[in-house]
Amino acid sequence: MKRYSIFSLARNALTGHRDWEAVWRSPDPKPAYDVIVLGAGGHGLATAYYLAKEHGVTNVAVLEKGWLGGGNTGRNTTIIRSNYLWDESARIYDHAVKLWEGLSQELNYNVMFSQRGVMHLAHTVHDLQEVSRRSHANRLNGVDSEFLTTEQVKAEEPLLNISTNARYPILGASIQRRAGTARHDAVAWGYARGADAMGIDIIQNCEVTGVLTEQGRVMGVETVRGQIKCKKLAVVAAGHSSVIADMAGFRLPIESFPLQALVSEPVKPCVNTVIMSNAVHGYISQSDKGELVIGAGTDQFTSYSQRGSFHVVEHTLQAILELFPSFSRMRMLRQWGGIVDVTPDRSPIIGKTPVENMFINCGWGTGGFKATPGSGHVFAHTIATGEAHSINAPFALDRFMSGELVDEHGAAAVAH
Ligand code: FAD
Ligand code: PYC
C-alpha cells in the first residue's frame, strides 16, 4: 500500500487527486466465480473478507447495484451493543462486539469504534421490569450490563430532564458500557480494501436482475453487465432480500419498511453515551463531528422508498425534546431513510435457502449494523463449509416452519 506524506497530500489536493492510487480495484466481471456475494453493504463485504481470510476462498465477486456501502450500511445511526434477551442473540451479537473491539487493528483501518456506553431508559414500572429482566439475562450470558438509578442516569447525562413532572419521568436505566458507536462508512471501506487486497473482485454498478437455477440448484446470476456463473450464491441484500428470493422462486418471511434518521448542526460535546427510550420513542447520540444523531421507529407502511414519511420525523423530535428540552433551538441539518428487512421475530435469517448452494443473510431489520463483523464471520463459515456455524445455527430460515423463534421485539429497542 502506498503511503502519502503531508506534501503529497497537499499536492494531490491542488491537482485534482489524479495520482492517487485507488483503495480497491474496479475490475470487469469474470465469466464465473466460486462464490458470488450479492450486495456490497457491510455484511456482504465482511462475508467476502472472511471467506478469503479464514477459508482461503478468493475466487469471489461482490456484486453491488449502486456504490459499496450506499445501502443501510451508509445510512444507519451506528449503535453497537449486544444486550439482547435470548441466549442465541447474546451469542451472535456479543461475537460481533468482540470482533468490533479488534477491528481497526484487524483491518488496519480506523473504524472509530467508541465504547461510550448505551443506555436504555425506563419510564414505567413495565419498563423497569423489562430492563432489569434483560440486564440479568445479559449478565448470565457474560454480556456486561448495569442498572442505574435516576440520579446515576443524570450523572452520566447532565442535560437529560429528570423532572418527576415529565410525561414519562425517568425511573432508571440499564447501561452496557462496552457498547457504543463506530464510523459506518469506514467499516465498509475497511472490509472492501481488505477483501480487494486478497484478490476479491468488488463490482459496483452491477445490479443483479435474475437468479439462474437448474434442477433446484443455483448456477449463476443475470446482471446489467451480463450473465455471471457461480458455484455458490450468497445473498446479503437487506431491504431487497425478498426481491432476490422472488427471482429464485421462493418466499421469505420479510417485510421491508423505511427507517429514518436525522442529524443536527454540530455543537460542542454534550451527550456522552447513546440514549435510547422506547416509551417516548426516540434515541440520540453525538457524533465525533458534534452532530446530534437522532432516530426512532420504522414508518408504518411497507415501501422501497429511501425517504420515509414526514410525520415520523416530527414525532421523533417531539420525543427527543421530552428527554432534552434544552435542544429545542437546535437546527436539523440532514434527514434520510433506509429500507430495513423485518422478520416476524425481529431476529435475522442466516443460512441455507430452498435453492441448493444459495445462501442468505438478511432480516436484520433496524439492528444489523452492530452485527456486521460477527455476521460476516459466521456467514463465511456457512458458505465455505456448507454447514451453519454453531452461532448462526438458531437463525436458519426453517425456524419459521418449526416455530423455534428467537423473539427479540423488546431488545430491538427501535419500534418495528
Ligand atoms: P446494506 O448496507 O443495505 O447492503 C445491501 C446491499 O445490497 C445494498 O448496498 C444494495 O444496494 C445491494 N443490493 C440490493 N439489491 C441488489 C441487487 N439486485 N443487485 C446488486 N446489489 C443489490 N443497525 C444497528 O445495529 N444500529 C443502528 O444504530 C442502526 N440504525 C439504523 C438507522 C437507519 C436509519 C437505518 C436505515 C438502519 C439502521 N440500522 C442500525 C440497521 C442497519 O443499517 C442494517 O441492518 C445493516 O446496515 C444491514 O447491512 P447490510 O450489509 O445487510 O445491508
Ligand atoms: O439496534 O440499537 C439498535 C438501533 C438503534 C437505532 C437503530 N437501531
Side-chain angles (χ1 to χ4, degrees):
M1 185 185 40
K2 210 161 156 179
R3 301 204 180 273
Y4 297 97
S5 70
I6 187 79
F7 301 108
S8 87
L9 283 175
R11 196 170 48 247
N12 271 297
L14 295 171
T15 56
H17 304 120
R18 276 192 303 272
D19 298 331
W20 275 19
E21 193 187 353
V23 179
W24 45 80
R25 296 162 301 126
S26 200
D28 288 325
K30 293 193 278 191
Y33 290 91
D34 289 339
V35 179
I36 287 179
V37 176
L38 192 169
H43 289 237
L45 292 164
T47 302
Y49 176 86
Y50 292 116
L51 271 171
K53 175 90 192 288
E54 305 235 323
H55 305 279
V57 182
T58 55
N59 185 21
V60 177
V62 185
L63 306 183
E64 167 56 49
K65 72 173 173 181
W67 66 96
L68 68 84
N72 290 342
T73 297
R75 294 163 185 272
N76 77 88
T77 45
T78 80
I79 298 173
I80 296 166
R81 56 188 177 86
S82 54
N83 55 356
Y84 283 73
L85 180 63
W86 299 108
D87 301 354
E88 296 84 348
S89 315
R91 276 200 290 275
I92 193 161
Y93 289 105
D94 212 51
H95 180 51
V97 169
K98 287 182 182 132
L99 289 173
W100 277 112
E101 283 169 338
L103 198 58
S104 293
Q105 289 79 3
E106 166 74 25
L107 300 176
N108 187 26
Y109 201 100
N110 188 2
V111 299
M112 296 168 73
F113 182 42
S114 155
Q115 292 176 295
R116 60 185 66 181
V118 173
M119 268 205 265
H120 293 257
L121 301 181
H123 302 267
T124 60
V125 172
H126 170 80
D127 277 359
L128 282 173
Q129 288 167 344
E130 193 278 327
V131 158
S132 67
R133 177 189 182 203
R134 191 143 53 87
S135 234
H136 289 306
N138 290 160
R139 287 203 296 273
L140 285 172
N141 275 316
V143 174
D144 67 303
S145 179
E146 288 166 41
F147 185 80
L148 303 180
T149 62
T150 309
E151 290 65 36
Q152 288 170 320
V153 171
K154 183 75 175 171
E156 297 285 342
E157 292 297 348
L159 293 187
L160 261 178
N161 175 23
I162 58 160
S163 163
T164 47
N165 294 327
R167 185 166 66 119
Y168 288 108
I170 296 170
L171 305 182
S174 69
I175 185 164
Q176 184 184 11
R177 294 199 187 272
R178 285 166 60 237
T181 57
R183 172 77 202 274
H184 48 8
D185 299 317
V187 179
W189 298 336
Y191 274 123
R193 186 178 75 171
D196 173 85
M198 290 184 284
I200 285 171
D201 288 353
I202 302 170
I203 305 166
Q204 303 180 74
N205 298 312
C206 187
E207 180 171 0
V208 171
T209 52
V211 174
L212 307 171
T213 58
E214 240 174 61
Q215 294 173 337
R217 177 174 223 183
V218 80
M219 303 303 288
V221 291
E222 203 68 73
T223 79
V224 291
R225 298 182 64 178
Q227 218 174 70
I228 312 175
K229 294 277 173 60
C230 64
K231 295 182 185 149
K232 294 180 181 178
L233 174 63
V235 177
V236 206
H240 286 84
S241 302
S242 39
V243 177
I244 309 293
D246 192 48
M247 293 176 190
F250 64 93
R251 295 190 69 192
L252 288 174
I254 294 269
E255 290 179 298
S256 293
F257 293 91
L259 178 68
Q260 306 186 51
L262 59 163
V263 292
S264 73
E265 59 190 338
V267 286
K268 285 189 172 173
C270 59
V271 179
N272 304 318
T273 61
V274 178
I275 301 149
M276 310 191 73
S277 165
N278 276 1
V280 302
H281 205 193
Y283 65 88
I284 186 166
S285 66
Q286 188 169 20
S287 76
D288 294 323
K289 269 193 281 182
E291 299 165 336
L292 300 179
V293 182
I294 294 170
T298 59
D299 278 26
Q300 302 300 305
F301 303 101
T302 52
S303 159
Y304 290 106
S305 138
Q306 285 179 316
R307 297 178 59 183
S309 315
F310 184 63
H311 71 274
V312 176
V313 179
E314 269 194 306
H315 172 78
T316 305
L317 288 175
Q318 279 161 6
I320 293 303
L321 292 185
E322 283 204 53
L323 300 176
F324 292 96
S326 58
F327 290 160
S328 65
R329 283 181 295 150
M330 294 282 293
R331 288 157 210 240
M332 293 299 131
L333 269 192
R334 296 190 303 282
Q335 171 272 350
W336 64 91
I339 308 162
V340 297
D341 41 335
V342 175
T343 59
D345 62 357
R346 276 41 178 180
S347 286
I349 299 169
I350 315 168
K352 297 181 182 180
T353 71
V355 176
E356 201 178 331
N357 289 340
M358 177 171 172
F359 301 84
I360 197 149
N361 181 340
C362 65
W364 292 96
T366 61
F369 177 70
K370 65 175 75 66
T372 305
S375 152
H377 189 250
V378 296
F379 195 40
H381 171 101
T382 306
I383 298 160
T385 64
E387 294 304 327
H389 189 288
S390 62
I391 291 179
N392 67 293
F395 299 103
L397 177 58
D398 63 12
R399 76 177 183 276
F400 298 101
M401 307 292 281
S402 67
E404 289 172 275
L405 303 184
V406 187
D407 189 337
E408 290 290 359
H409 276 81
V414 176
H416 69 297

